[in-house]
Amino acid sequence: MREAFQALSKLEQDIFLMAQLKVMDGGTISNSKHFKKKTRSNKRTFYHWDHNTLLCQKTYLNMLGIGRTYFENIRNHLINNGFILRIHGNVKRMPQ
């Protein structure tokens, strides 16, 4: 699985991870019990292999060959922006 994932382009890897997180129902948004007007993101995710075998996050990331920071960035983007492509911040700026 690691070789197949690493063979994908960066855009395809992002889409694959977002789809996996949607299937695993990761990063739901809920209201705080103490502060009614404040929303928070609950980042509890159950990682599965073939929808049967539960995995820990470290094993899941090792299977894909990615780091935790990259995975957290994808998850935060999915929570905040939904299922849209990530665009680099310097895309619209002209080079100096």
Side-chain angles (χ1 to χ4, degrees):
M1 182 171 181
R2 179 182 231 173
E3 291 176 6
F5 183 77
Q6 293 297 323
L8 299 174
S9 69
K10 196 68 161 175
L11 177 65
E12 291 171 336
Q13 287 179 359
D14 290 353
I15 292 171
F16 177 82
L17 284 174
M18 285 187 209
Q20 287 283 313
L21 284 171
K22 278 291 193 185
V23 169
M24 292 186 282
D25 197 27
T28 58
I29 297 175
S30 60
N31 290 329
S32 175
K33 293 180 182 178
H34 301 289
F35 304 104
K36 300 297 181 190
K37 295 181 182 179
K38 187 174 181 180
T39 58
R40 62 181 177 174
S41 59
N42 183 9
K43 295 186 179 183
R44 184 173 181 167
T45 305
F46 296 101
Y47 303 97
H48 295 279
W49 174 250
D50 293 337
H51 301 290
N52 294 326
T53 309
L54 285 174
L55 299 172
C56 66
Q57 183 183 34
K58 186 175 180 180
T59 305
Y60 181 74
L61 296 179
N62 192 13
M63 281 176 42
L64 297 177
I66 60 174
R68 184 180 172 124
T69 305
Y70 173 65
F71 186 72
E72 290 291 328
N73 289 340
I74 294 289
R75 183 180 2 199
N76 289 335
H77 177 78
L78 184 63
I79 291 170
N80 295 330
N81 301 324
F83 196 72
I84 60 172
L85 299 178
R86 295 191 318 158
I87 300 173
H88 193 276
N90 279 342
V91 168
K92 295 182 181 180
R93 296 185 185 168
M94 294 295 294
Q96 295 276 334

